[in-house]
Amino acid sequence: MLYVFTMKLLKKGPGRGRKRKKRMFLRFLVSIFLFCVVSFSLYLLYLDGLVLKKFEGQRWKLPSKIYAAPLNLSAGLDVKKAALVSRLKRLSYHRVSEPVQHPGEFYQSDQKIEIYLRAFNYPEGESAARALRISISDKNRIEQIIDLKTQREQTHLQVEPEVIGGFYEAEWEERRLVRLSEVPQILIDAVVVTEDRRFFEHPGINLKSILRAAWVNLQAGKIVQGGSTLTQQLVKNFYLDSERSLKRKIPEALMALLLERRYDKDEILETYFNEIYLGQNGIMGIYGVGQGAWFYFEKEVADLTLGEAALLAGMIRSPNIFSPIKDVQKAIRRRNLILEVLFSEGKITVSDYLSAREEKVIAKKVKQRLNTAPYFTDEIRRRMADLYPPRVLNSGGLQIFTTLDAERQRIAEKALRQGLQTLEAGDPRLRRADSSEALQGALVSLDPKTGAILAMVGGRDYRKSQFNRVTDAKRQPGSLFKPIVYLTAFEQAANGGEPYTPMSEIDDAPVTVPIGGKEWSPENYDHSYLGSITLRAALEGSRNTATVRLSQALGMDAVVETAQDIGITSPMKSVPSLALGSVEVSPLEMGIAYSTLAGGGVFHPATFLSGIIDPSGLSLAREDGVDLYPARVVSEEAAYLVTHLMEGVIDSGTGQGVRHLGFMRPAAGKTGTTSQLRDAWFVGYTPDLVTVVWVGFDKSQGGHLTGASSALPIWTDYMKKASFTEARDFEVPSGVVFKKVNANGVICEKNGVEEVFISGTEPTKTCERGILKWLKRLFF
């Protein structure tokens, strides 16, 4: 078109008219040229802006990681139950012959375990790498921990936590950022001679390589070779897509020139080493040589051998082909090729070459980084979303530390799954054809000393239902609520009110209570009545009518207040049926309430987060704005009396199935069953662990479920395997006394049964007579 227009101008008229038209044409050409120059300049400015924005800002979107709690090592820990060796393997520690010499190694024998712990940055500060010798008893318990460097005994140490989830956008790009100074020279040489021999000479593009690639592409009739420099590869990965086209190649080359004009070779190379893709670990992409060294060889990049460096460099071209995980033989051939190039370029000696070729390449098993605690991590995501915007969570590289015990979580998931399967296998009435209506369950386990959530299973199968029944399901607790009534009675006694004791008597007989103009007549589960019984017998036997009578004597407002004090937050009405658990609560609420009892009357809010740090190591705010702190809400004497009564529930009451199933530690607990056998509960605790189990149907169908037959076996299975520390008794407060009393509540040292009382409420009458009684009064 331009040619035709030009010829027309030149043909029209001779002389001055033709000269004037030539000048017009020249002006037109100049205008076109200036327009192109300005447009190209503006395009360069645009590309330069892109280069600056990425390089001067946040270069990588670092996913935020969610960690489980670290494993606390101390005397008395059962290393077999705590699965110490399995944890070390999941953390990529590798077994070696004695002694351990480098971080990430461990050695195991029958009587000891040596571990070289890695350095790790915790919210409270960095923990240095250190080698330990752990002496193990015949019962698999830690007897002593010795620091191998100082030879001093250690009382408490931590094994770093496992990653259980994360926040990320489209893809989880896992990186361990490294400085160029940390990258061994041999790895730098291997990458440069393989990917871009003239890297330190060219200005960002290599014209010779481009012309060679153009000739190859012309012969092939399509783009089959790129001729890209390392700088161009970085530009492609950093700013552009992987499309092979002239449209993408032009800006790639221009941006490479701009990048090299603004930044030196070392900074470009360092960024390249942190950007390259080196394979996949489940949902995690392995990016950068730091993460590549860690994933493939379980070591820092600075510690790579020559053979390992060559293998890593050889993977850059195509990690899905040359990865030792995909094909060991291809990886070895590729490594050897890189070694030959290094030798031919004079970067290594013949001795280095030969020894590197002899290095073994292990086809390591990929550790799929799956979400091992999906209900728990969902709750963490919900809480973190209240603290930080999505941009910070998805790309800010936060380290989110939680309270979850990874091993207890595995035990809990298995116990619930197998427990529900056993129930269905034993009772056809519990089976459902539609899996969406299947029998469900929930389990939550807490540390009563801190309120920390140690395990949480919100349902039978997260893949089929993401509804968290621990936090969000509200169901009637039934008899699980009864201990709150008895706690109210003992708290009154501790505060100088009515002197209720475990030996106080209450009538277990039919009772009718007016409710809103109507009459309510609760019955006992077995439809029998025992007459006058002690408070201990009433709670151990879970007697409904006796509990209702006690609650009426105490006043329902007082019962509601006690329930609120110890952690029940669901709305409650002061109605008589509340004594039998007519309120709807979540399993987590019941766990908090029973933790208050196990903790001696000290309320701890449920804690999910233990700390948050940013990539620089700065500790950030960890809680979600709820201003709750540990607080004494009931006396330790009243709490202990209820605990002692619930020890009786397990030893001889409705919860004695715990003992029949082999859990013999000191423990307190309570069964719970709702009307029409809809919901089955069991809550129990030791001094160190509180666990709640609920079993039922989501649609509240009558399910032939009882706490003792449905929830208790799951609880027992979990607690037998999840109790890692040595068994110990509940701590006895100074304000209680033990007396041997007979069935009439009279002190009888010879034939009495030991009972506990709040000081000042114990009986004074004695069954002893004659000279013995006179002598005791005289001398005691």
Side-chain angles (χ1 to χ4, degrees), residues 247-262:
K247 181 182 177 182
R248 197 219 69 199
K249 278 291 183 181
I250 291 173
E252 176 188 292
L254 293 174
M255 292 175 79
L257 291 168
L258 292 169
L259 192 63
E260 296 243 10
R261 189 177 70 85
R262 286 193 172 275

Side-chain angles (χ1 to χ4, degrees), residues 696-709:
F697 291 94
D698 285 339
K699 294 183 178 180
S700 293
Q701 308 162 21
H704 309 282
L705 300 166
T706 68
S709 65

